[in-house]
Amino acid sequence: MPAITTTATATALRRRPARVACLAAASAAVAVSLTLPAHASERPAEATASTQEVTQQVNESTTRTAVEKATDNSDKQADKQAEDPGRGAEFDDDGKLIPIAHHEQPDPVPASREDIDKWIKEALKVMDKNDIPGSYQGIYSNLMRESSGDPYTINMWDTNAHKNIPSKGLLQVIDPTFEQYHVDGTKKDIYDPVANIVAACNYAADKYGSMDNVNSAY
């Protein structure tokens, strides 16, 4: 019996380290399980913060894009207006004239009689050299009817305006006509008074024999 008691005691002693190890492992597992909820509760907060950051970046990017587009459109508008100084004219993003109602057409700002007189006389000299018929009075009467003497008048309401070929300048010439009937020795600027008069008289000579034969819109 003593031997048996001793053996049992020894067996029990041998088993204690294993039991202790099991208890330690169980304690570690409990410790891990206790810490998991804390980590799990942190993840939604991290996800929310990440989502908010992405949303902010997208909003900032969208805002920058909108500002850049508005600036680009403004620059295009300024460039087009610099190219085409027609009084009151506005253009869309594609550079096309934005038509308006007849009653919205800006009032002309006539040049002085001295300037008009000078421009007509200069135009007559060019016309004489190029065998283009027309008289001072014929030019003057048509010029005053068409533009009231404003070299920067642009028609923004009629059918030509809606076709994006508005009538421009002292004698209300459209771009295709100006390009076709432009006379060398004058500026290639449809708003230039002398160039506008000479091109218009050249066109009138071809279509009507002379600007003197024009008494209405032509």
Side-chain angles (χ1 to χ4, degrees):
M1 295 298 291
I4 295 172
T5 300
T6 302
T7 302
T9 302
T11 302
L13 288 173
R14 285 197 299 271
R15 288 176 178 174
R16 283 175 185 171
R19 184 179 180 185
V20 170
C22 290
L23 290 173
S27 298
V30 171
V32 170
S33 65
L34 289 174
T35 58
L36 281 176
H39 291 300
S41 65
E42 289 174 3
R43 285 171 187 164
E46 291 175 359
T48 300
S50 177
T51 301
Q52 290 175 343
E53 182 180 353
V54 170
T55 301
Q56 182 179 0
Q57 290 174 350
V58 170
N59 289 339
E60 289 176 354
S61 177
T62 302
T63 301
R64 283 197 302 271
T65 300
V67 170
E68 289 169 0
K69 184 176 181 180
T71 301
D72 184 52
N73 291 343
S74 178
D75 290 343
K76 287 181 179 179
Q77 179 72 262
D79 290 343
K80 183 60 182 176
Q81 288 178 331
E83 294 173 6
D84 194 319
R87 195 175 304 288
E90 292 187 3
F91 304 86
D92 63 21
D93 295 345
D94 296 324
K96 294 181 179 179
L97 177 74
I98 300 175
I100 60 176
H102 190 181
H103 69 274
E104 296 176 338
Q105 177 75 28
D107 292 332
V109 180
S112 67
R113 180 58 191 264
E114 290 76 13
D115 282 340
I116 293 173
D117 180 71
K118 179 182 66 175
W119 296 331
I120 293 176
K121 288 178 178 178
E122 288 181 16
L124 285 169
K125 290 178 181 178
V126 177
M127 291 165 60
D128 183 58
K129 290 179 180 179
N130 290 274
D131 297 322
I132 300 172
S135 67
Y136 184 103
Q137 188 57 41
I139 295 172
Y140 180 79
S141 61
N142 279 287
L143 179 154
M144 295 305 294
R145 184 191 66 253
E146 292 292 327
S147 68
S148 299
D150 182 357
Y152 291 104
T153 289
I154 176 172
N155 187 315
M156 295 181 283
W157 60 268
D158 69 1
T159 55
N160 284 333
H162 285 273
K163 294 176 183 177
N164 196 41
I165 48 170
S167 304
K168 304 174 181 179
L170 289 174
L171 280 165
Q172 291 293 277
V173 184
I174 61 175
D175 286 326
T177 299
F178 181 79
E179 292 169 5
Q180 182 178 352
Y181 289 93
H182 173 264
V183 176
D184 290 341
T186 62
K187 294 181 179 180
K188 292 184 177 181
D189 175 5
I190 197 169
Y191 290 104
D192 178 76
V194 175
N196 187 282
I197 292 171
V198 174
C201 288
N202 194 22
Y203 166 77
D206 184 36
K207 299 298 181 181
Y208 308 103
S210 171
M211 183 62 78
D212 294 352
N213 298 328
V214 178
N215 299 302
S216 62
Y218 62 106

